[in-house]
Amino acid sequence: MRVLVIGSGAREHALCVALSSDPAVTALACAPGNAGTRAIAEPAAVDAADPVAVAALASSWRADLVVIGPEVPLVAGAADAVREAGIACFGPSEQAAQIEGSKSFAKHVMSAAGVPTARSWPVGGPAELETALDETGAPYVVKDDGLAAGKGVVVTTDRDAAVEHGHRVLEAGGAVLVEEYLDGPEVSLFAVTDGTTVLPLLPAQDHKRRDDGDAGPNTGGMGAYAPLPWAPPGLVDEVLATVLQPTVDEMRRRGEPFSGLLYAGLALTSRGLRVVEFNARFGDPETQVVLPLLETPLGGLLYAAATGTLADHPPLRWRDGAAVTVVIAAPGYPERPRTGDPVTGADAEGVLHAGTTVDAEGTVRSAGGRVLAVTAVGEDLAAARQRAYERVAGVRLADAHWRTDIALAAVEGRITLPAAP
């Protein structure tokens, strides 16, 4: 099977690593890829946001399966274009991808499906913003209704900061969603689906804030770990029954079947499970810790989802142990990341490239805000965490920034579920 991966981040590098170990995958390409993916996958030039270009590349490269990593090409309709070219594609249609492309759309789907989520107030102007903030009270949650690369939400007790974020989005021509605050720890749970059958993967936890102690601005994610030793028993079964399957069933009922990777961002609140958001693709950096623990060959799993045969796929198999990934970011991330700096040690085991390129002399250089995702697997979370930070120490990037507390609270048993009211 010839597999083409679309994207250029650490998520796509992790996908390529997993796909390259699948005996059924006989050829692998990543477009446009990065300095790390080219070591295991054939590079190809493409504008990932152009559905016609993606489909043309898939056809010319003779792909049997296309795996679309980022949300932008999905929301633009790249999966539709690939399927119209007669090629199997792992990724939802343009219509179905609106579950990530529009938070208001996702709320309508959840309401119809009876999925538990935060109350929300759509905002179209400054006066509505003020009214919604009055209704919710602090802490305030203000979201960009559209795609924002994981950085479009402000959670704050500072009303002025909430108003400023809402005004900024509105002035840029976007729509705003104000939500009630959800207490409790957050969980990321991926599910592979063909639009009918749903197979959940391992739950993981992302660290969204830039700095230690969950301080600083929101980012695309500074690290992650899996599995979650503090998660309540039966969590995955509960999410499958109350969130994932009802959502997939509702999308199919609407005539907008969701096939691909459905990502549920969840909060385990004092009032029970609540959906924070849906994404329409593998999350980054959670993918970097979930896939190393998956024993089931990835190519066959994604092909079954892309071809509507997931019900016939064998049960998923998982390795024992845990995985931790630590993101190494460029100075100035996320506001104004500096790029072009040389990177050394990036070819070591477990180092996944996020924002890198190779210059004419063969030097790996930073090319984005998140530069590397350094990943390790261990017999337990403490061992995986120690190994990941040992690998971080072997990387050199001038003035780089990373958190030193990824998975630390879980290792130390400091994550607790809020008591019911």
Side-chain angles (χ1 to χ4, degrees):
M1 179 167 54
R2 295 173 61 84
V3 182
L4 169 64
V5 176
I6 300 297
S8 60
R11 164 185 46 223
E12 288 74 36
H13 194 175
L15 286 165
C16 286
V17 169
L19 288 164
S20 68
S21 66
D22 184 340
V25 176
T26 55
L28 182 62
C30 188
N34 59 40
T37 60
R38 65 180 54 218
I40 53 173
E42 178 185 335
V46 73
D47 178 358
D50 182 345
V52 174
V54 171
L57 173 61
S59 296
S60 64
W61 192 73
R62 297 178 291 109
D64 299 306
L65 173 67
V66 175
V67 179
I68 300 177
E71 62 273 25
V72 170
L74 291 170
V75 172
D80 304 88
V82 171
R83 283 190 275 265
E84 286 167 7
I87 300 169
C89 185
F90 183 80
S93 67
E94 179 181 357
Q95 281 189 318
Q98 288 305 307
I99 204 162
E100 177 172 2
S102 168
K103 294 176 178 62
S104 294
F105 175 82
K107 290 290 186 182
H108 287 303
V109 171
M110 284 187 271
S111 177
V115 171
T117 187
R119 291 184 302 154
S120 62
W121 293 261
V123 169
E128 292 178 13
L129 175 63
E130 297 282 356
T131 301
L133 294 176
D134 288 340
E135 182 76 17
T136 63
Y140 304 104
V141 180
V142 182
K143 295 183 175 182
D144 185 335
D145 188 49
L147 295 179
K151 300 187 283 289
V153 58
V154 164
V155 181
T156 180
T157 58
D158 183 341
R159 185 182 175 104
D160 290 341
V163 170
E164 180 185 358
H165 179 69
H167 284 177
R168 189 183 309 118
V169 175
L170 292 169
E171 289 166 3
V176 169
L177 203 67
V178 172
E179 291 189 355
E180 67 173 329
Y181 174 74
L182 299 177
D183 60 358
E186 293 193 5
V187 174
S188 300
L189 185 60
F190 301 163
V192 174
T193 179
D194 59 5
T196 302
T197 301
V198 182
L199 292 183
L201 306 186
L202 281 182
Q205 188 177 58
D206 182 15
H207 294 66
K208 297 293 288 185
R209 299 282 187 168
R210 184 188 62 194
D211 302 328
D212 286 4
D214 292 326
N218 259 349
T219 72
M222 293 300 295
Y225 65 95
L228 310 180
W230 49 266
L235 174 64
V236 173
D237 290 340
E238 180 185 0
V239 177
L240 177 61
T242 63
V243 174
L244 298 169
Q245 192 69 59
T247 299
V248 169
D249 291 345
E250 172 61 19
M251 293 293 286
R252 188 175 65 253
R253 187 194 68 78
R254 288 169 171 248
E256 301 166 347
F258 188 103
S259 171
L261 195 291
L262 182 61
Y263 166 139
L266 309 163
L268 307 188
T269 79
S270 56
R271 293 177 291 111
L273 178 73
R274 296 290 186 273
V275 175
V276 177
E277 65 177 356
F278 282 125
N279 289 332
R281 38 70 192 182
F282 279 103
D284 185 345
E286 298 98 326
T287 301
Q288 291 90 293
V289 292
V290 172
L291 291 187
L293 299 174
L294 179 66
E295 279 192 340
T296 298
L298 184 64
L301 174 63
L302 302 189
Y303 188 78
T307 55
T309 59
L310 203 54
D312 301 324
H313 193 277
L316 301 183
R317 304 191 313 275
W318 297 95
R319 297 184 176 90
D320 293 332
V324 172
T325 192
V326 180
V327 170
I328 297 179
Y333 178 74
E335 295 91 350
R336 290 176 297 278
R338 188 177 81 203
T339 60
D341 290 322
V343 184
T344 59
D347 57 349
E349 181 182 2
V351 179
L352 299 170
H353 291 234
T356 62
T357 189
V358 180
D359 67 17
E361 287 73 43
T363 300
V364 176
R365 294 188 177 274
S366 61
R370 294 188 294 176
V371 182
L372 302 170
V374 182
T375 305
V377 174
E379 60 272 17
D380 57 24
L381 201 55
R385 183 177 185 277
Q386 178 178 347
R387 191 168 298 161
Y389 277 105
E390 287 171 353
R391 291 176 176 176
V392 168
V395 174
R396 294 289 179 271
L397 170 65
D399 304 317
H401 175 77
W402 61 88
R403 284 183 59 159
T404 66
D405 63 348
I406 301 300
L408 182 59
V411 169
E412 295 180 345
R414 292 189 281 110
I415 298 180
T416 58
L417 302 179

